[in-house]
Amino acid sequence: MLDFTDYSLLSHNTFGIDVSASRFIEYESEAELQSVIHHIGCKNILHIGGGSNLLFTGDFKGTILHSAIHGIEKVDETKEEIVLRVGAGEKWDDFVAYTVEQGWSGIENLSLIPGEVGASAVQNIGAYGVEAKDVIAVVETIELSSGEKRIFGNLECNYGYRQSIFKNQLKGKYAITHVTFRLSKIFTPKIDYGNIRSTLDSEAKLTAALVRQTIISMRMHKLPDPKVLGNAGSFFMNPVVSREKFESIRTEYPDMPFYQTDGGMKIPAGWMIEQCGWKGRSLGRAGVHAFQALVLVNLGGATGKEILALSDAVCHSVKERFGIDIHPEVNII
Ligand code: EPU
């Protein structure tokens, strides 16, 4: 277990914001976590993963918890399926790489997403037509107030687009220790999203490994590497609007991209932000990425407040132009 006071969070947030936490504790097992919360209580705690979906606007005056629970364990296997129980502290993309190497599929479209396995179950990470909820079977947690173990089945997690019970009703109340995934041994390609199909090497055999490679190159082309330019991936969620609202905008913008969802029409926030002229522009040391306007970047030494000021300005422009409220998906602390 690691336990530090006045600890720099620079290497724990991909935005590269230079803030500190009063205390930082990293635990390696459920028992260690239970012992930590027994001693420090559950007040003023923030549990983080890889820090890839966080914006710190100042020093954190409390205790940051981080899981170093590792391991990938096979819990069930049939001819068609494999069920894996994974430690919350495993790096998400290492897990994806491992499953693809083994010839298992289901999460290859979620390649190169930064962050850790525990956070994948909180955020319901999604990309290229696949969401974590599609493959999550069970989420194991520890309740921070009691130290008791609680297991959530997939349906109990209330998953939706970038949503889960852990981000809403139970926010900050449970720490995820393990996530169990149900993957397939029979490869069913999901390549209808955007331009995956046209980007795939048509000469090569279609495998999960090829889809992973294609997704990796697509992401590397569009999304900034946090090691080079601080960022937290998509800063905003794509708004879902009524069909009436959608039709009224489409009259003016016939080429507007969109996705039909159960709850209404989803309009890419990145497209709206680009229409507002923000793509590639900056405010102080905070910028809108030049290749994907959904991503805000730290141009070097930005504070969380500067990024937030840019976010507010972008939301304001989108509201003025389209009459739509867009909201950060990044957790602002
Ligand atoms: N678009 C623009 N300008 C932009 C950005 C996008 O016109 O600056 C247009 C694109 O041309 C396309 C549409 O908007 O027609 C959608 O763009 P894209 O496929 O890049 O996806 P997105 O909706 O902008 C979402 C996820 C991404 C994920 C991609 C691919 C959210 C909030 N973001 O972005 O997730 O990689 O789809 O599936 O849903 C992340 O969460 O960090 C992330 C990168």
Side-chain angles (χ1 to χ4, degrees):
M1 187 161 77
L2 301 176
D3 187 352
F4 300 109
T5 46
D6 290 327
Y7 182 77
S8 168
L9 295 172
L10 195 53
S11 64
H12 289 276
N13 74 101
T14 58
F15 249 124
I17 306 291
D18 192 5
V19 289
S20 63
S22 309
R23 192 167 177 189
F24 180 93
I25 297 177
E26 186 175 87
Y27 58 89
E28 286 172 29
S29 64
E30 287 177 357
E32 274 190 9
L33 172 60
Q34 284 165 323
S35 150
V36 166
I37 53 182
H38 179 73
H39 284 99
I40 68 169
C42 63
K43 298 254 152 51
N44 257 346
I45 282 183
L46 174 68
H47 199 299
I48 64 167
S52 56
N53 203 39
L54 282 178
L55 178 65
F56 287 109
T57 54
D59 290 336
F60 185 72
K61 310 266 184 239
T63 303
I64 301 252
L65 294 180
H66 182 242
S67 168
I69 299 181
H70 293 295
I72 303 176
E73 183 194 339
K74 204 184 282 183
V75 291
D76 200 8
E77 185 169 13
T78 64
K79 262 195 197 154
E80 293 89 27
E81 273 188 355
I82 181 98
V83 183
L84 300 168
R85 177 178 184 255
V86 188
E90 286 289 341
K91 284 213 167 60
W92 172 260
D93 195 52
D94 290 352
F95 171 52
V96 178
Y98 170 76
T99 62
V100 169
E101 272 161 29
Q102 300 301 312
W104 304 326
S105 64
I107 50 175
E108 59 280 1
N109 289 37
L110 302 180
S111 288
L112 210 64
I113 294 184
E116 295 168 1
V117 165
S120 73
V122 176
Q123 311 294 347
N124 184 22
I125 55 173
Y128 303 102
V130 174
E131 289 179 291
K133 74 169 173 62
D134 304 338
V135 287
I136 288 175
V138 158
V139 179
E140 290 171 55
T141 68
I142 298 286
E143 187 179 24
L144 293 174
S145 61
S146 64
E148 272 169 31
K149 188 162 174 161
R150 177 167 168 193
I151 299 178
F152 292 77
N154 178 301
L155 290 179
E156 288 174 285
C157 298
N158 283 356
Y159 282 128
Y161 166 62
R162 308 272 152 142
Q163 294 301 339
S164 75
I165 199 165
F166 309 109
K167 277 183 88 173
N168 295 302
Q169 299 95 312
L170 300 184
K171 187 170 179 180
K173 293 195 166 23
Y174 288 83
I176 292 179
T177 55
H178 297 86
V179 186
T180 299
F181 297 90
R182 193 180 292 280
L183 301 180
S184 181
K185 287 183 170 176
I186 300 156
F187 174 52
T188 312
K190 296 205 178 79
I191 52 174
D192 290 325
Y193 182 97
N195 52 348
I196 310 183
R197 196 181 280 278
S198 59
T199 314
L200 280 167
D201 177 355
S202 55
E203 305 283 295
K205 183 164 182 264
L206 186 53
T207 59
L210 180 70
V211 172
R212 172 170 165 78
Q213 270 322 310
T214 308
I215 301 277
I216 288 176
S217 60
M218 286 167 71
R219 286 186 71 98
M220 284 172 69
H221 182 69
K222 263 193 167 178
L223 299 171
D225 178 353
K227 289 189 205 90
V228 181
L229 204 56
N231 74 90
S234 302
F235 193 90
F236 304 99
M237 287 184 274
N238 289 330
V240 176
V241 302
S242 67
R243 191 163 264 285
E244 295 72 41
K245 177 76 192 163
F246 165 77
E247 294 297 354
S248 79
I249 302 175
R250 196 148 74 142
T251 317
E252 204 182 329
Y253 301 92
D255 297 331
M256 170 173 66
F258 64 91
Y259 307 100
Q260 192 152 359
T261 73
D262 292 344
M265 307 303 284
K266 195 192 271 181
I267 305 180
W271 175 83
M272 290 193 281
I273 297 167
E274 180 172 351
Q275 297 299 312
C276 292
W278 274 109
K279 198 168 183 171
R281 270 180 61 195
S282 56
L283 203 59
R285 293 169 291 184
V288 177
H289 189 49
F291 302 128
Q292 164 56 291
L294 199 53
V295 178
L296 301 189
V297 294
N298 178 352
L299 296 169
T303 61
K305 290 201 169 79
E306 274 177 279
I307 307 272
L308 205 51
L310 174 61
S311 158
D312 289 346
V314 165
C315 291
H316 184 75
S317 297
V318 170
K319 177 77 177 173
E320 270 207 330
R321 179 114 174 209
F322 295 97
I324 293 178
D325 288 304
I326 56 167
H327 302 283
E329 86 148 323
V330 165
N331 205 359
I332 297 162
I333 310 294

